[in-house]
Amino acid sequence: MKKGMKNAGSNWRIIFIILFVASMLFAIGMMYTSGSGIVDNGNVDLSNVDFNQNKLVALDGQWEFYWDRLLMPGDFNAKQPPQMDSLIKVPGTWDDRGAGTKVYPHRGVATYRLRLNYPSTLKDPALRIQNVTNAYKLYANGQLMAEVGKVSTKPSDFKDGEKLLILDLPKDTQELELIFQVANLDYARGGLRQGPVFGSKQVLERQKMTLLALQLFFIGSVFIVSIYYLLLFLLQTKNKTALLFSMLCFITALRSLIWGETPLMIFFPNVSYDVKMYINYLTGYNLMPIMILFVLSIYPLEYTKTTLGLVLLPTLFFDGMLLTPPGLMSSFTNYLYVLILLQMIYIMGVQIKAVLRKRDNAIIMFVAICVFVLASIEDILHYKGIGGINLSYMILYGNFAVIIAMSFVQARQQANTYKKLIMYNENLVEADTLKDKIMATEMSFLQAQIKPHFLYNALNAIANVCEKDGAKAGKLIIDLAIYLRGSLEFNHMDKMVTLEKELEFINTYFNIEQARFGQKIQLLKEIEIPLDDQIPVLILQPLVENAVRHGISKKQGGGRVRIRLMQLEEGIGIEVEDDGIGIEGEKLTRLLSEERKDQGVGLLNIHHRLLRLYGRGLDISSEVGRGTCVILVIPEGRKP
């Protein structure tokens, strides 16, 4: 029954991941599906819209487009009005293939035109304008309503600019002609990248204040969290997770200043457009890498350094681009998006692995990362003018969800640490009893090193080899002598040995076992730390022996034992994994319990030694038919 429950637990995690990823793909498809908008052939009729119900209308759709011309309102009243080049999709940029029937160069000037009707019940018509790149003029019924930056065909006269504006529109008629003159001479993309919003000025102003208040609350909250974890890191300098989370919160708060209601431009109206672009690229280049490093600091066993280096190395190139003008950086935006998408796939792969391996808080982190990825993808699609969803706040929502989830994970870890401290204090009362028990198990551990059946099997294997290969038999006898000496050559169980010596001991043992089983058993070693680092004596070899005896030797066709030694924040991480027959659920739960009656080189002895030395024992996971993994940590600077 317990075995079935364990398999059911693994299955529901897989089903959860499949369904969640499928939902993400469906959501991305919905984002990518382009909405038609309400503007058709440069015209929109809003005369039937009830603006008294706080209705606001985004003027999305097909606008009239005149390329390479800065047309005035009077030009459209001439006997021979200018001929339209094409219709173009708003929101979007004029170099997008999906924006219109033609694709135009990245840089240049253009005129957008729209004719609009609205009901007479609307007494305060207004227009909200945001994210027009990179300079523009707006005319309404022939009147110049706004000029942001300096529109010109000459680079010497051109000037970038950006402001979020809410403009009063003429009230003398219910028909409006809106003409945008747009110029982009510096950056890679130009046009109406966000559709203007039409409605009551009172409603637009109220919406702006509400959204601004929420955004400032979000920025302030995230910034306070950043300061808190920075102070936590300064008090616990080895806690790299706190530092990375502080950096993640700071970058999120900084990036939020230039999104949505753009608080940076409100509080610092004289800040140049280039400053905003530098903040945009600085945070855009580094947000995903910091997110990856933070997640990996929580799950250090779910990645390899080589793969991580390949994923993060290109970020250094983009960071180097920060030394160049913003216009040049914008030319590499598409390449940046490809890198970000690859990094998204990588971080989701790490999270899926963490969920399947039942790591702490893995499901919460997986959901948060998925929300963040969805928000980032929508942000990319919106930036490129693709899709029917047009929310410049999506990236804020995604970041907020991630930070809330990660704050919960951090708080949960601190709560668990506090519980462990309480348990530790309670265990101090039983320290004397535990010490006596460990001393007794140490003696049995010592006496059990030389097992009669092991000696019999080893000598029998050597005897068989003697008939075929005398030199090899001599080497095996030397290995057996080294093994026996290593089993007995210590004064007490607290002695420390180098990894090099412990691995040499393991090699002699494995050579003897291979004389019995041949190449059907294999030993793999992944060593990422210096071999002169020290660990308690006879910690590794018994784990390898258990993996051989109870794992791969009982598996038809044999198997492999993998030893991985790595450097973690808290010290040396050791992982011994085999792909043998595995351990049944009921037996696994009793493996480290006091109910065990068997003696010998047991995992329980090692578990007790580690508990006494470091307060932390073995972490064992296993799956029938898949193998067993034993993990332990030797804290840095903690010598017995």
Side-chain angles (χ1 to χ4, degrees):
M1 182 178 296
K2 290 186 178 180
K3 179 179 177 181
M5 292 177 63
K6 180 178 180 180
N7 292 334
S10 299
N11 291 337
W12 82 258
R13 283 178 170 81
I14 296 174
I15 294 172
F16 169 78
I17 291 173
I18 293 174
L19 291 177
F20 207 93
V21 172
S23 301
M24 283 186 61
L25 295 175
F26 176 76
I28 293 172
M30 294 296 294
M31 293 177 184
Y32 192 80
T33 304
S34 188
S36 60
I38 64 169
V39 179
D40 184 26
N41 292 320
N43 294 280
V44 58
D45 186 3
L46 304 178
S47 57
N48 294 323
V49 176
D50 185 5
F51 287 96
N52 292 325
Q53 301 297 321
N54 296 331
K55 179 75 173 179
L56 297 174
V57 179
L59 301 180
D60 297 344
Q62 301 294 323
W63 288 50
E64 294 180 9
F65 187 72
Y66 304 84
W67 173 248
D68 203 24
R69 287 174 285 178
L70 298 175
L71 300 175
M72 300 294 293
D75 295 332
F76 295 96
N77 297 323
K79 292 183 179 180
Q80 292 184 345
Q83 184 176 0
M84 178 178 61
D85 287 282
S86 67
L87 294 171
I88 195 166
K89 178 179 173 292
V90 174
T93 57
W94 54 57
D95 63 317
D96 281 334
R97 295 187 179 275
T101 57
K102 297 181 181 179
V103 178
Y104 299 93
H106 297 293
R107 297 174 177 86
V109 298
T111 301
Y112 290 75
R113 182 168 179 254
L114 170 70
R115 292 182 292 268
L116 179 149
N117 296 325
Y118 67 90
S120 58
T121 54
L122 180 59
K123 303 302 181 182
D124 58 343
L127 196 68
R128 173 190 167 107
I129 307 172
Q130 185 177 6
N131 205 3
V132 180
T133 52
N134 287 333
Y136 68 93
K137 288 182 180 180
L138 170 64
Y139 294 90
N141 289 353
Q143 302 179 38
L144 178 62
M145 308 303 297
E147 180 174 9
V148 176
K150 191 151 187 173
V151 178
S152 177
T153 58
K154 299 179 180 180
S156 58
D157 296 332
F158 171 79
K159 183 180 180 182
D160 295 312
E162 181 177 3
K163 289 182 180 178
L164 192 159
L165 300 177
I166 296 178
L167 301 173
D168 288 305
L169 295 176
K171 303 178 180 62
D172 54 346
T173 176
Q174 278 71 56
E175 297 181 0
L176 292 174
E177 179 190 52
L178 302 179
I179 296 175
F180 280 91
Q181 293 180 353
V182 183
N184 174 45
L185 303 184
D186 288 341
Y187 292 86
R189 311 178 77 84
L192 299 182
R193 300 177 67 165
Q194 190 164 334
V197 178
F198 178 80
S200 166
K201 182 177 182 181
Q202 182 180 2
V203 176
L204 286 169
E205 291 283 4
R206 185 165 60 245
Q207 181 199 58
K208 176 183 177 180
M209 295 304 298
T210 301
L211 294 176
L212 179 61
L214 290 174
Q215 189 170 349
L216 290 176
F217 172 77
F218 167 76
I219 294 172
S221 301
V222 174
F223 185 74
I224 291 173
V225 173
S226 174
I227 295 296
Y228 170 78
Y229 279 97
L230 178 60
L231 295 175
L232 183 62
F233 168 74
L234 294 177
L235 295 174
Q236 304 173 0
T237 53
K238 293 184 179 180
N239 188 356
K240 299 298 188 298
T241 301
L243 176 62
L244 291 169
F245 190 55
S246 175
M247 294 172 62
L248 178 65
C249 292
F250 178 77
I251 290 177
T252 300
L254 184 62
R255 187 166 180 80
S256 301
L257 290 172
I258 60 172
W259 287 92
E261 301 302 309
T262 59
L264 179 69
M265 299 298 180
I266 294 176
F267 296 113
F268 303 98
N270 296 324
V271 169
S272 68
Y273 185 75
D274 284 352
V275 171
K276 179 194 171 184
M277 296 309 295
Y278 275 115
I279 294 176
N280 178 45
Y281 289 120
L282 172 66
T283 56
Y285 292 162
N286 294 286
L287 184 60
M288 187 60 67
I290 294 297
M291 178 74 74
I292 290 175
L293 291 174
F294 170 73
V295 172
L296 295 184
S297 71
I298 298 177
Y299 305 111
L301 299 178
E302 313 305 330
Y303 75 99
T304 61
K305 292 183 178 180
T306 302
T307 305
L308 178 63
L310 293 175
V311 170
L312 296 184
L313 187 61
T315 301
L316 297 178
F317 167 78
F318 286 101
D319 283 334
M321 292 292 296
L322 293 169
L323 302 175
T324 65
L328 179 61
M329 287 188 284
S330 67
S331 303
F332 290 85
T333 302
N334 288 333
Y335 300 103
L336 174 65
Y337 288 158
V338 172
L339 175 61
I340 291 176
L341 290 174
L342 291 176
Q343 291 174 340
M344 288 177 181
I345 294 173
Y346 175 74
I347 194 173
M348 287 192 63
V350 170
Q351 282 298 140
I352 289 174
K353 190 186 297 184
V355 172
L356 293 178
R357 293 185 175 181
K358 304 178 182 179
R359 305 301 190 198
D360 291 342
N361 306 305
I363 293 179
I364 297 174
M365 290 291 294
F366 175 73
V367 173
I369 292 297
C370 288
V371 173
F372 176 79
V373 168
L374 277 176
S376 299
I377 291 176
E378 196 286 327
D379 178 58
I380 293 174
L381 296 178
H382 174 58
Y383 178 85
K384 295 181 69 65
I386 301 175
I389 300 177
N390 185 14
L391 295 173
S392 63
Y393 291 89
M394 279 295 289
I395 188 68
L396 301 181
Y397 302 152
N399 285 343
F400 186 73
V402 171
I403 288 174
I404 290 296
M406 292 179 177
S407 297
F408 172 77
V409 170
Q410 293 280 303
R412 194 171 185 178
Q413 288 180 338
Q414 292 184 8
N416 289 337
T417 301
Y418 179 72
K419 289 180 180 178
K420 289 179 180 179
L421 288 174
I422 294 177
M423 293 177 61
Y424 180 75
N425 289 332
E426 292 175 351
N427 289 337
L428 287 177
V429 180
E430 303 175 3
D432 291 337
T433 304
L434 180 61
K435 182 178 179 180
D436 294 339
K437 184 183 298 184
I438 291 175
M439 291 178 65
T441 57
E442 282 181 1
M443 182 58 67
S444 64
F445 184 89
L446 174 60
Q447 295 170 346
Q449 299 309 298
I450 307 176
K451 302 179 186 64
H453 72 270
F454 173 76
L455 281 175
Y456 173 78
N457 291 332
L459 293 172
N460 187 50
I462 294 173
N464 292 332
V465 173
C466 285
E467 299 176 359
K468 304 176 183 178
D469 189 340
K472 183 176 180 181
K475 185 178 182 304
L476 286 174
I477 292 173
I478 294 174
D479 285 338
L480 178 59
I482 294 174
Y483 173 80
L484 294 176
R485 183 181 63 186
S487 297
L488 299 173
E489 192 181 53
F490 54 87
N491 296 324
H492 52 79
M493 301 300 291
D494 291 346
K495 181 180 178 182
M496 302 291 286
V497 296
T498 63
L499 288 171
E500 183 178 12
K501 188 169 183 180
E502 189 78 358
L503 291 173
E504 179 185 353
F505 188 38
I506 290 173
N507 288 335
T508 60
Y509 164 76
F510 218 84
N511 289 338
I512 297 170
E513 292 291 34
Q514 279 190 325
R516 295 177 56 205
F517 298 105
Q519 295 302 312
K520 66 181 291 187
I521 64 171
Q522 297 291 327
L523 178 65
L524 304 177
K525 289 177 279 190
E526 298 178 14
I527 304 173
E528 304 174 8
I529 57 177
L531 290 178
D532 58 357
D533 284 358
Q534 293 192 337
I535 62 174
V537 68
L538 288 178
I539 287 291
L540 272 180
Q541 190 274 336
L543 298 181
V544 174
E545 184 173 344
N546 270 279
V548 173
R549 289 183 57 202
H550 304 295
I552 60 176
S553 66
K554 296 184 178 180
K555 179 181 177 182
Q556 186 177 5
R560 296 180 300 177
V561 177
R562 182 177 65 90
I563 303 174
R564 186 182 179 193
L565 307 176
M566 72 210 87
Q567 186 65 49
L568 304 179
E569 289 184 0
E570 57 267 41
I572 299 174
I574 298 176
E575 183 178 294
V576 178
E577 183 179 17
D578 68 75
D579 57 0
I581 61 174
I583 306 172
E584 294 182 355
E586 183 177 354
K587 185 175 181 181
L588 181 63
T589 57
R590 294 189 294 106
L591 203 57
L592 300 180
S593 70
E594 300 296 332
E595 300 174 2
R596 294 192 59 198
K597 302 299 183 181
D598 55 315
Q599 301 293 328
V601 185
L603 298 178
L604 182 62
N605 290 328
I606 300 176
H607 182 65
H608 279 163
R609 290 176 61 204
L610 293 173
L611 281 176
R612 180 170 65 86
L613 296 175
Y614 307 117
R616 177 175 177 177
L618 298 175
D619 182 10
I620 305 176
S621 59
S622 184
E623 187 172 346
V624 176
R626 300 289 295 275
T628 303
C629 181
V630 181
I631 298 173
L632 62 102
V633 176
I634 307 298
E636 187 174 354
R638 292 278 302 277
K639 294 185 178 181

